[in-house]
Amino acid sequence: MYCKVIPAIPAHVWPPDNENLLKFKKNILCIGAGYVGGPTMAMIASKCPDYRVTVVDINPERINAWNSHELPVYEPGLDKIIKKTRGKNLFFSNNIEKAITENDIIFVSVHTPTKTFGEGAGKAPDLQYWEKTARQILEYSKSSKIVIEKSTLPVKTAAAMEKILAPAKGKIKFEVLSNPEFLAEGTAINDLENPDRVLIGSRDTKNGLKARQELVNIYSRWVPKEKIITTNTWSSELSKLVSNAFLAQRVSSINSISALCEKTEADVSEVAKAVGMDSRIGSKFLQAGIGFGGSCFKKDILHLAYLCEYYGLPEVAAYWESVVKMNEYQQQRFIANILSSMFNTLAGKKICVFGFAFKANTGDTRESPAIYITRKLLAEQAYVTISDPKALKNAALDLADIEGNIIYEEDPYKAAAGCHAIAILTDWNIYKNLDFRKIYKSMIKPAFLFDGRNIVDHAKCCLLYTSPSPRDRTRSRMPSSA
Ligand code: NAD
Ligand code: UGA
């Protein structure tokens, strides 16, 4: 929907004919053409020009978009790689049956959301998409395959996959590997090109180790050997959930401290800096703000907690659930702060939201704190103008069910004009360097700025100011000359 520079692929290029197929050393398939499947396979195709990489999806619109001028996901640098590979050794298709039949190495990268119904609703992973894929692989396979879990899955899912694939006919054998993905949106291309590590879990059997080596060989094309780590399947599955849980925990930890800072004279940015300079702690993921969003942190922590409960560890489950609770508390605090600063009423006031994506450099709005915050503003009968460089289409979809006064405006200056307050909800770079003096002049006074990401240079800002950094509240009034 966003990328404009790539020539669309001619319809006849897919499916490649059999002659085309034989030209390649290996034929790799990925089922699921989403935020992970698309970029990950584009990177493999780019690094392995002698391999043919096919990506399939049940959603025809997604596949059409991957084959069009406008890619379905915005990710810096992705357009360049797609331009280099698409139609040469990277193909996007809806023909799942043909693709499974033709390929020997199959990545599964379908979504694994939280269940919204039945047993475990709101916590357990909804594995229906993953299971359907396993059954499709069984049904359409005419030869042995290596099946690789790329999706984030609960520990022991590979065992269930093996059971589903077990009734294979004749000599057909399946080897199931775990190879979780650690890319972060907005930096996906760099993360894929220079990963901290590649994790591969397998069974410790002759066939398991052989399959593992096949996958090691693919990554070794560009990833240094010492960064490719191999474990047993269950450690690999669990490590992915735990990595996300640890990252989210750091965000909740610093956010909990931001609440304490707001009650004292401490500044959370200074505390984060001082704490993060301890090399045992490190400086990353200590940026206080309105909390984490994105499709994975919350779901993966809840899945981890659900697993703990399943295995009779309620104390461990409660520990991890508190990370999500703290995240919700932070967003509630942000809204409460807006209300109390603006004289306890937002009815009829115009609030401008800067940023709707769950983080900078992506158009993705899944679980974005902006969804919750905007809904709350609308519930208070505020008029909301939303600005974002890449996420306005998704924002409109997220809010489609609400009857409210919403305007979408990409230009931040136009969006802020005539508003009573600005709420920064995404840490896009453009919001750091705006001319706030100019913006202030165009706003209704007293004009407020609620910096939900703590990114604006407060000294240059002349609006009433609130952020997780309390020192700024003390210099609240704008200069009268502004
Ligand atoms: P996504 O929703 O963007 O993409 C999943 C795709 O799978 C969809 O296009 C859907 O139509 C397709 N699909 C579902 N069932 C299918 C089937 N039976 N056959 C063919 N296609 C099917 O999801 P995503 O963000 O790419 O995440 C995929 C997995 O990777 C999840 O488990 C997620 O936790 C994990 N992960 C995501 C990220 C991220 O940054 N988004 C990073 C690391 C890991
Ligand atoms: C995260 C992990 O970083 C990836 O390693 C993982 O592969 C991925 O989840 C996944 O499994 O989906 P992502 O959600 O794309 O990646 O982005 P992050 O950079 O981790 O940010 C997540 C959220 O935390 C964002 O809303 C961000 O604004 C917030 N955050 C991050 C903070 O509030 N403070 C920080 O210091 C860091």
Side-chain angles (χ1 to χ4, degrees):
M1 279 175 264
Y2 308 104
C3 182
K4 297 209 161 48
V5 296
I6 312 166
I9 190 167
H12 67 267
V13 176
W14 175 265
D17 54 25
N18 287 341
E19 198 183 321
N20 190 352
L21 194 66
L22 294 175
K23 279 196 326 211
F24 295 99
K25 269 196 197 148
K26 276 189 205 309
N27 293 296
I28 296 172
L29 172 67
C30 179
I31 302 180
Y35 283 85
V36 169
T40 310
M41 292 305 120
M43 183 57 67
I44 292 181
S46 153
K47 298 293 179 184
C48 311
D50 48 341
Y51 295 176
R52 189 193 64 165
V53 182
T54 306
V55 189
V56 291
D57 204 290
I58 36 168
N59 179 347
E61 281 173 23
R62 267 231 159 143
I63 291 301
N64 288 344
W66 280 112
N67 282 327
S68 76
H69 296 283
E70 298 182 336
L71 302 181
V73 303
Y74 169 73
E75 193 60 60
L78 178 63
D79 48 349
K80 234 169 139 185
I81 298 193
I82 294 285
K83 198 172 176 185
K84 181 177 148 194
T85 52
R86 196 176 62 185
K88 296 180 183 111
N89 69 328
L90 176 66
F91 302 92
F92 293 92
S93 162
N94 285 124
N95 196 336
I96 298 177
E97 177 174 350
K98 177 174 158 66
I100 291 175
T101 309
E102 284 184 356
N103 288 279
D104 314 318
I105 299 176
I106 303 178
F107 289 86
V108 178
S109 186
V110 299
H111 51 310
T112 48
T114 301
K115 258 182 107 176
T116 53
F117 54 88
E119 183 68 22
K123 258 192 189 179
D126 182 349
L127 296 175
Q128 59 172 306
Y129 308 99
W130 162 88
E131 183 173 336
K132 189 172 174 222
T133 312
R135 291 184 189 281
Q136 284 172 320
I137 294 173
L138 177 68
E139 186 181 349
Y140 302 134
S141 288
K142 295 187 178 131
S143 59
S144 296
K145 318 266 176 208
I146 297 172
V147 180
I148 303 159
E149 295 174 348
K150 197 55 151 161
S151 302
T152 302
L153 291 160
V155 61
K156 288 284 178 181
T157 304
M161 174 83 94
E162 285 169 353
K163 277 191 195 140
I164 291 171
L165 296 173
K169 293 181 204 106
K171 289 189 179 156
I172 300 178
K173 294 266 176 293
F174 295 98
E175 206 53 53
V176 181
L177 302 178
S178 161
N179 172 222
E181 183 48 59
F182 295 101
L183 68 79
E185 288 177 35
T187 54
I189 299 306
N190 184 51
D191 296 341
L192 288 166
E193 194 150 27
N194 308 294
D196 284 346
R197 77 303 207 185
V198 167
L199 177 58
I200 302 173
S202 69
R203 284 207 180 262
D204 195 13
T205 58
K206 191 176 155 214
N207 286 340
L209 297 178
K210 200 172 151 208
R212 183 177 92 181
Q213 192 54 45
E214 282 272 357
L215 193 51
V216 169
N217 290 345
I218 295 174
Y219 284 110
S220 312
R221 290 286 187 101
W222 77 97
V223 180
K225 283 223 161 46
E226 63 278 10
K227 288 194 172 180
I228 303 176
I229 56 173
T230 54
T231 63
N232 79 35
T233 316
W234 327 125
S235 307
S236 172
E237 289 176 331
L238 186 57
S239 300
K240 172 62 197 178
L241 285 185
V242 174
S243 294
N244 274 0
F246 272 46
L247 290 169
Q249 181 202 42
R250 283 173 68 95
V251 176
S252 277
S253 295
I254 197 65
N255 282 341
S256 74
I257 298 305
S258 76
L260 182 58
C261 285
E262 287 170 29
K263 299 279 182 202
T264 62
E265 293 290 304
D267 176 332
V268 73
S269 309
E270 291 176 354
V271 174
K273 187 174 177 192
V275 171
M277 281 178 78
D278 185 326
S279 60
R280 295 168 302 172
I281 296 172
S283 61
K284 293 182 180 165
F285 276 73
L286 291 181
Q287 174 72 34
I290 45 172
F292 56 78
S295 63
C296 295
F297 275 3
K298 181 176 169 190
K299 91 168 164 64
D300 289 348
I301 294 177
L302 293 176
H303 295 179
L304 181 65
Y306 186 75
L307 266 178
C308 295
E309 271 170 19
Y310 176 83
Y311 285 106
L313 303 167
E315 291 82 1
V316 185
Y319 173 75
W320 286 110
E321 273 176 40
S322 73
V323 172
V324 174
K325 283 191 188 135
M326 180 53 61
N327 201 49
E328 288 163 358
Y329 170 68
Q330 193 72 351
Q331 288 166 30
Q332 288 154 10
R333 269 185 351 97
F334 186 72
I335 280 289
N337 196 4
I338 293 180
L339 252 177
S340 66
S341 303
M342 296 183 73
F343 323 114
N344 291 310
T345 176
L346 300 181
K349 290 183 182 164
K350 293 182 184 169
I351 314 276
C352 172
V353 164
F354 276 179
F356 206 85
F358 81 97
K359 64 183 283 198
N361 299 317
T362 178
D364 194 353
T365 59
R366 291 179 291 178
E367 296 290 338
S368 177
I371 299 174
Y372 170 82
I373 290 166
T374 306
R375 283 175 181 268
K376 284 284 176 193
L377 294 174
L378 291 166
E380 292 291 340
Q381 299 186 352
Y383 292 78
V384 179
T385 301
I386 301 173
S387 193
D388 190 291
K390 294 289 175 194
L392 289 187
K393 274 188 191 169
N394 281 336
L397 292 173
D398 293 331
L399 301 173
D401 63 305
I402 315 186
E403 280 189 23
N405 297 296
I406 313 174
I407 293 171
Y408 299 93
E409 170 56 63
E410 197 175 318
D411 182 328
Y413 292 99
K414 285 188 190 155
C419 287
H420 294 79
I422 296 168
I424 300 181
L425 305 186
T426 310
D427 52 340
W428 285 102
N429 262 334
I430 48 159
Y431 301 138
K432 295 179 188 167
N433 303 313
L434 292 172
D435 181 348
F436 279 102
R437 195 161 283 267
K438 179 175 160 189
I439 287 177
Y440 171 73
K441 281 185 185 154
S442 73
M443 290 175 70
I444 293 173
K445 316 295 182 305
F448 293 84
L449 174 66
F450 300 95
D451 185 359
R453 297 294 183 169
N454 213 10
I455 54 169
V456 171
D457 180 350
H458 308 173
K460 285 191 196 151
C461 191
C462 49
L463 290 85
L464 283 173
Y465 202 95
T466 314
S467 78
S469 176
R471 247 185 8 172
D472 308 301
R473 284 187 301 161
T474 59
R475 54 160 310 282
S476 56
R477 287 275 160 198
M478 57 284 183
S480 51
S481 61

